[in-house]
Amino acid sequence: MFRTALRNVLAHKARLLMTVLAVMLGVAFVSGTLVFTDTAGEAFRKSIARSLENVSVQIEPSASAEPLTRKLLEQVRDLPGTASATGTASGLVVLAGKDGDLLGDGRSTTGANHSPGPGGEDPRHPMTDGRGPRSAGEVAVDRLTAQRAGFRVGDTLRLSVDGPVLEKKLVGVFDTDDGNVAAGGTLLLFDGATAEKLFTAPGQYQSIDVKAAPGTSQTALKEQVDRILPEWAVSVTGKEAADTQARAIDHQTSNMSTALLTFAGISLFVGVFIIANTFTMLVAQRTRELALLRAVGATRRQVTRSVLLEALVVGAVAAATGLAAGIGIAVGMRAVLDSTGSPLPDGPLIVTGTTVATAAAVGVLVTVLAAWLPARRAAKIPPVAAMSSIHAPESGRSLVVRNTIGIVMTALGAALTVFGESMGSDGKVAMGSGAVLLIVGVFVLTPLLSRPLVAAAGPLLRPLGTAGMLARRNAVRNPRRTAATASALMIGLTLITGLTTIGTSVQKTAAEQAAGHLKADYTITMSTFGSLPPDVADTVRKVEGVTAVSPVRDVYLELGGSTAFVSGVDGRTIGDLLDLKFTEGSADALRDGRIAVDTATAEEEGWSTGDTVPVVYGDETEDRVVVGGVYEKTGGLPAVLMPLSITDGHTEEEKDEQVLVQTADGPDEQIRKDIRRALDNSPAVLVQDEQDMVEEFSGQLNLLLNILYGLLAMAVVIAVIGIVNTLAMSVFERAQEIGMLRAVGLDRRGVRTTVRLESLLISLLGAVLGIGLGLFLAWAAGAPIMEELDGYATTVPWDRIGLFLALAALVGVLAAVWPARRAARTDMLAAIKSE
């Protein structure tokens, strides 16, 4: 029986090639994910180890956040077990490129102190060109950033730490094992005094790295350090620090691996349909062969083993080729990261025994399990079938049972999903379980659904004559086969449609929140999400063409007995800058020194216009304020607006979160340049109009959606393979029928048209079911999202839905190219004589 199984695999190479390809793609996705995450994790762990190889003990402030002082640094240096001790002062820096624009995203550039040793070199940052900074006007930059931005020693760099622009001469380029730099960030080095002034305070540090003297262990040095540490500081050995960072890296790569493996699992799940479909058709086409084996003495168990052995061989081949392809995918992913400016640290490609075993297990088990049911069907073929050219068709009883199960599962899944939707964020488990049950139920029910859906296409096919009629009948002739083929595409489009609908809805809601409440032409913020310097609003007021300006300042106080953050604004101009729809009072109340609250806060606190509310400011000053207006709650608007005229003087620091600007002639590029020039063209400051804010968020969301589309594309590709496979084998199965049709007058063009239309019907069946399920699940997912995102409403992206339908139709047409050509070339006489 083993020789029989092997002979059958070799005899049906072309037919099984598609099955091997489908399994191979899923295995490649799994093994590529494992290789890439293992490689990334090992590279970052080694980078951490290299960066901490000169650190025996690391000292950091405890939860009290008291700073580490130079006095403590000197005490640590004097310990008998200390070879050297270095204090670190670091923080965020915003750097401009040669074109003057922001380099990076404003949050991935850090600055730190250059700490040269006795030889004048900082062992953590060896110079590859130039020297380290020695004065306040000098800076050094990491080698990767210098290459990316085109910086050379001698250039003048424009940067900012807290708003004002600083110009520094680039005096050195260095190498570093900093993980942020390896991930595409930037590291700048300043001389010690300048770094302390910029990021901490003179004589203060965020951490102290201690290197042990020869003969002193890390543990022994830690014991010495602990004896002199104040209560607000803690110490860990270099090994403990490396282990902590390594665990964080493992957690991050584990999350990434889980996400990627989820999509790999989807691809394999789709592949199961193709494998089961292929072996079902192979068994059906070999009815006489299997029956003859039974007639000459083969037992049912032997026939089952024969089919499963075929699946084992196919799975083994798919696993081997999938592992090789997965290694290639991992290499490609690393190359993509390198090309996008987010490279991994240097390190070898890691292919572990676990990865190899997983690839083998996934490839073989998925194939064998998918082939098990067709193998059992093969064993049930009676020997008497060898006397007939066609095995008796399967009873419709099994379809009745299948339809009953499908109806129950679909109804239960839909009910669970709706129940979860009604529970909001508390119903995620019910909703997730219902979604899975619903998808499986629709798959089980697809043979029943295929008939009315295909029949609905009848009027469109009727003008195409005989080819259209034959295509419709062929599509419903074997509902199980059509269902399995269409379901592979259905699953991919369900996920794509659902994600697109949710993404579009979030995008629209967030865009409305970001700018929908604004009358202002420009919003000024920090690129680091930090606070603006207090003089920004005054500076912008002096720009010609600016008509209204208001800072928006977070003010922490106690209002009506409850602590809260309120937004301090310029009461004289805020009504011209925010679109406030008042249900009580008006924006004039803010001009008069009264506060305004949104409808949700007013309802919760029981406030209305004219009420007096006690307030306790941050400096413990007590006062009373009057509610002057109530405005509609809208996403993006603060809950309480309070004039700065009554909050100023009660806060330690006056830092604005944003500044709103209105101009005489609306948004104009020239006035934007004037505003930026007034702010010294600081790369840290963003001057954005409404379109900029919408595009910024949309770009981030579209990037995420495109990544998800790319991952789900694997499932769609496998579904296309399934359609090709099904059509090719169906053409072989209907060879005699095609020969008869040719003999009675159907030309080759008619045969090609028939096969193409059949493929188109199968693709559109999967698309309609997938889009319908995706829209339903996206609607259900809206309830928990609504609790996190005010104003969220499901928005159906009809343009993209239409594109998905068009792409599904294109998939059907392309998938039919080879099977249609093969059908058209069928020799009618040979086909008529075949059995």
Side-chain angles (χ1 to χ4, degrees):
M1 295 305 292
F2 176 78
R3 288 196 299 271
T4 301
L6 187 59
R7 177 182 61 79
N8 283 324
V9 171
L10 296 176
H12 302 104
K13 294 186 291 292
R15 299 183 215 167
L16 292 172
L17 177 62
M18 294 293 183
T19 304
V20 170
L21 187 58
V23 181
M24 185 202 76
L25 288 174
V27 173
F29 209 154
V30 172
S31 55
T33 296
L34 295 176
V35 171
F36 178 74
T37 52
D38 287 343
T39 299
E42 184 64 17
F44 278 112
R45 281 191 290 272
K46 287 185 176 180
S47 174
I48 291 167
R50 287 194 299 268
S51 66
L52 292 174
E53 63 184 7
N54 290 317
V55 178
S56 303
V57 174
Q58 194 169 71
I59 305 171
E60 293 182 337
S62 62
S64 64
E66 290 279 345
L68 304 177
T69 62
R70 183 171 291 131
K71 178 181 178 182
L72 176 61
L73 175 63
E74 295 298 335
Q75 289 176 327
V76 172
R77 282 175 176 165
D78 292 338
L79 291 174
T82 297
S84 64
T86 304
T88 299
S90 63
L92 282 178
V93 179
V94 179
L95 178 64
K98 283 197 165 185
D99 57 1
D101 292 335
L102 178 68
L103 189 67
D105 61 4
R107 299 178 299 280
S108 58
T109 301
T110 55
N113 57 318
H114 177 63
S115 301
E121 289 289 331
D122 186 340
R124 302 173 302 174
H125 310 115
M127 293 290 160
T128 60
D129 189 17
R131 59 172 175 80
R134 297 171 184 166
S135 65
E138 297 178 341
V139 70
V141 68
D142 68 88
R143 178 177 54 83
L144 293 176
T145 298
Q147 291 174 351
R148 186 168 64 246
F151 294 145
R152 296 177 180 273
V153 172
D155 288 347
T156 298
L157 303 189
R158 300 181 73 255
L159 52 96
S160 173
V161 174
D162 57 1
V165 175
L166 306 174
E167 292 190 347
K168 307 280 185 181
K169 182 180 179 181
L170 180 61
V171 297
V173 177
F174 59 89
D175 267 330
T176 179
D177 292 315
D178 189 300
N180 177 58
V181 174
T186 295
L187 178 62
L188 298 172
L189 294 182
F190 303 86
D191 69 283
T194 302
E196 292 170 21
K197 180 180 177 182
L198 290 174
F199 306 123
T200 54
Q204 294 183 357
Y205 310 99
Q206 283 133 341
S207 66
I208 296 175
D209 295 337
V210 191
K211 183 179 180 180
T216 303
S217 67
Q218 291 188 358
T219 304
L221 179 59
K222 182 179 183 301
E223 291 175 354
Q224 295 180 26
V225 169
D226 286 344
R227 284 195 286 269
I228 65 168
L229 280 186
E231 61 182 10
W232 65 79
V234 294
S235 69
V236 294
T237 64
K239 183 179 183 307
E240 290 171 340
D243 289 344
T244 299
Q245 293 188 43
R247 283 193 293 271
I249 292 295
D250 288 341
H251 179 68
Q252 292 172 2
T253 55
S254 174
N255 289 340
M256 178 175 62
S257 177
T258 300
L260 292 174
L261 288 175
T262 299
F263 288 96
I266 293 169
S267 298
L268 286 169
F269 184 59
V270 171
V272 166
F273 297 145
I274 298 171
I275 299 165
N277 217 13
T278 301
F279 276 93
T280 297
M281 295 177 72
L282 284 173
V283 167
Q285 292 172 12
R286 288 162 45 202
T287 297
R288 293 195 64 187
E289 176 188 331
L290 295 173
L292 281 170
L293 286 174
R294 292 290 314 282
V296 297
T299 64
R300 286 189 174 186
R301 181 173 295 178
Q302 286 176 316
V303 172
T304 301
R305 286 177 181 172
S306 174
V307 177
L308 290 179
L309 279 171
E310 290 181 47
L312 181 64
V313 173
V314 170
V317 173
T321 53
L323 176 61
I327 294 173
I329 289 174
V331 172
M333 291 174 71
R334 185 166 189 165
V336 168
L337 288 179
D338 290 343
S339 66
T340 56
S342 302
L344 293 178
D346 293 334
L349 196 69
I350 306 297
V351 183
T352 64
T354 302
T355 299
V356 175
T358 301
V362 168
V364 173
L365 284 177
V366 166
T367 309
V368 171
L369 288 176
W372 178 74
L373 195 57
R376 290 200 60 190
R377 289 203 192 106
K380 293 179 180 179
I381 295 175
V384 73
M387 306 300 296
S388 174
S389 60
I390 300 177
H391 179 44
E394 192 172 356
S395 168
R397 181 176 177 275
S398 59
L399 262 182
V400 173
V401 174
R402 174 172 177 159
N403 291 340
T404 302
I405 294 173
I407 290 171
V408 172
M409 293 180 71
T410 302
L412 184 58
L416 269 175
T417 304
V418 172
F419 175 71
E421 189 274 342
S422 66
M423 294 177 64
S425 58
D426 294 331
K428 291 178 181 177
V429 174
M431 191 183 303
S433 303
V436 172
L437 198 59
L438 179 61
I439 292 174
V440 175
V442 171
F443 162 67
V444 174
L445 204 57
T446 304
L448 178 64
L449 297 174
S450 63
R451 291 186 178 276
L453 290 175
V454 171
L460 298 176
L461 296 175
R462 194 170 295 121
L464 299 175
T466 303
M469 179 192 67
L470 290 173
R472 183 173 61 83
R473 291 183 177 180
N474 288 335
V476 296
R477 175 184 295 184
N478 190 327
R480 289 185 182 86
R481 182 187 303 168
T482 299
T485 308
S487 295
L489 188 60
M490 177 194 79
I491 292 171
L493 281 177
T494 295
L495 297 173
I496 290 174
T497 302
L499 289 172
T500 301
T501 303
I502 292 172
T504 302
S505 303
V506 170
Q507 184 177 16
K508 181 179 179 182
T509 304
E512 290 175 350
Q513 288 193 1
H517 62 283
L518 291 177
K519 291 182 183 177
D521 295 319
Y522 293 104
T523 300
I524 302 176
T525 56
M526 289 287 284
S527 60
T528 58
F529 295 132
S531 298
L532 290 164
D535 60 346
V536 168
D538 292 333
T539 301
V540 173
R541 282 192 184 97
K542 300 174 184 176
V543 175
E544 184 178 353
V546 171
T547 57
V549 174
S550 174
V552 179
R553 186 176 305 161
D554 281 346
V555 181
Y556 181 74
L557 44 73
E558 185 177 299
L559 186 66
S562 302
T563 56
F565 275 107
V566 305
S567 292
V569 295
D570 188 333
R572 299 166 299 176
T573 59
I574 196 64
D576 299 324
L577 298 165
L578 291 180
D579 186 13
L580 301 171
K581 295 180 173 60
F582 281 88
T583 58
E584 298 180 32
S586 68
D588 292 337
L590 292 164
R591 297 176 186 269
D592 300 334
R594 290 173 287 171
I595 68 171
V597 300
D598 66 15
T599 49
T601 303
E603 182 178 348
E604 181 181 349
E605 300 291 342
W607 296 338
S608 60
T609 302
D611 288 351
T612 301
V613 181
V615 60
V616 180
Y617 297 105
D619 61 357
E620 305 299 327
T621 302
E622 297 184 11
D623 198 359
R624 301 185 73 83
V625 293
V626 178
V627 177
V630 178
Y631 53 88
E632 291 181 5
K633 176 180 172 57
T634 304
L637 282 176
V640 180
L641 294 173
M642 183 174 287
L644 288 173
S645 58
I646 62 175
T647 64
D648 283 353
H650 297 294
T651 54
E652 294 182 7
E653 288 186 293
E654 296 180 354
K655 290 188 176 181
D656 302 326
E657 302 307 310
Q658 58 182 321
V659 172
L660 306 178
V661 182
Q662 183 71 281
T663 62
D665 301 321
D668 178 77
E669 194 58 34
Q670 183 57 50
I671 200 167
R672 187 207 297 260
K673 290 180 180 178
D674 293 342
I675 293 172
R676 286 187 54 80
R677 190 179 300 113
L679 297 174
D680 206 14
N681 286 318
S682 172
V685 179
L686 297 178
V687 182
Q688 297 177 300
D689 60 19
E690 179 178 343
Q691 188 62 30
D692 292 330
M693 290 184 283
V694 171
E695 287 179 357
E696 180 181 16
F697 182 82
S698 299
Q700 296 170 355
L701 189 61
N702 287 334
L703 176 62
L704 176 61
L705 283 176
N706 288 336
I707 292 173
L708 295 176
Y709 289 160
L711 295 172
L712 287 171
M714 188 75 75
V716 176
V717 169
I718 294 175
V720 173
I721 292 171
I723 296 173
V724 175
N725 212 15
T726 299
L727 289 173
M729 298 183 75
S730 178
V731 166
F732 175 82
E733 194 176 78
R734 303 201 307 263
Q736 189 177 52
E737 175 187 322
I738 292 171
M740 291 291 293
L741 289 171
R742 291 289 315 283
V744 298
L746 187 65
D747 58 11
R748 290 187 174 184
R749 182 179 180 181
V751 172
R752 285 195 297 268
T753 303
T754 300
V755 176
R756 287 169 183 165
L757 289 175
E758 181 182 351
S759 175
L760 184 63
L761 284 173
I762 292 173
S763 296
L764 290 178
L765 172 63
V768 169
L769 292 175
I771 289 171
L773 277 174
L775 291 175
F776 176 74
L777 295 178
W779 165 79
I785 297 175
M786 199 179 300
E787 295 186 8
E788 302 294 331
L789 185 61
D790 287 339
Y792 176 87
T794 301
T795 302
V796 179
W798 293 112
D799 53 341
R800 295 197 183 186
I801 297 298
L803 178 62
F804 296 157
L805 277 173
L807 288 176
L810 181 61
V811 162
V813 172
L814 294 178
V817 170
W818 177 60
R821 291 186 63 189
R822 181 179 177 184
R825 291 178 178 178
T826 302
D827 185 294
M828 69 178 75
L829 295 179
I832 292 171
K833 290 190 294 183
S834 66
E835 296 184 359

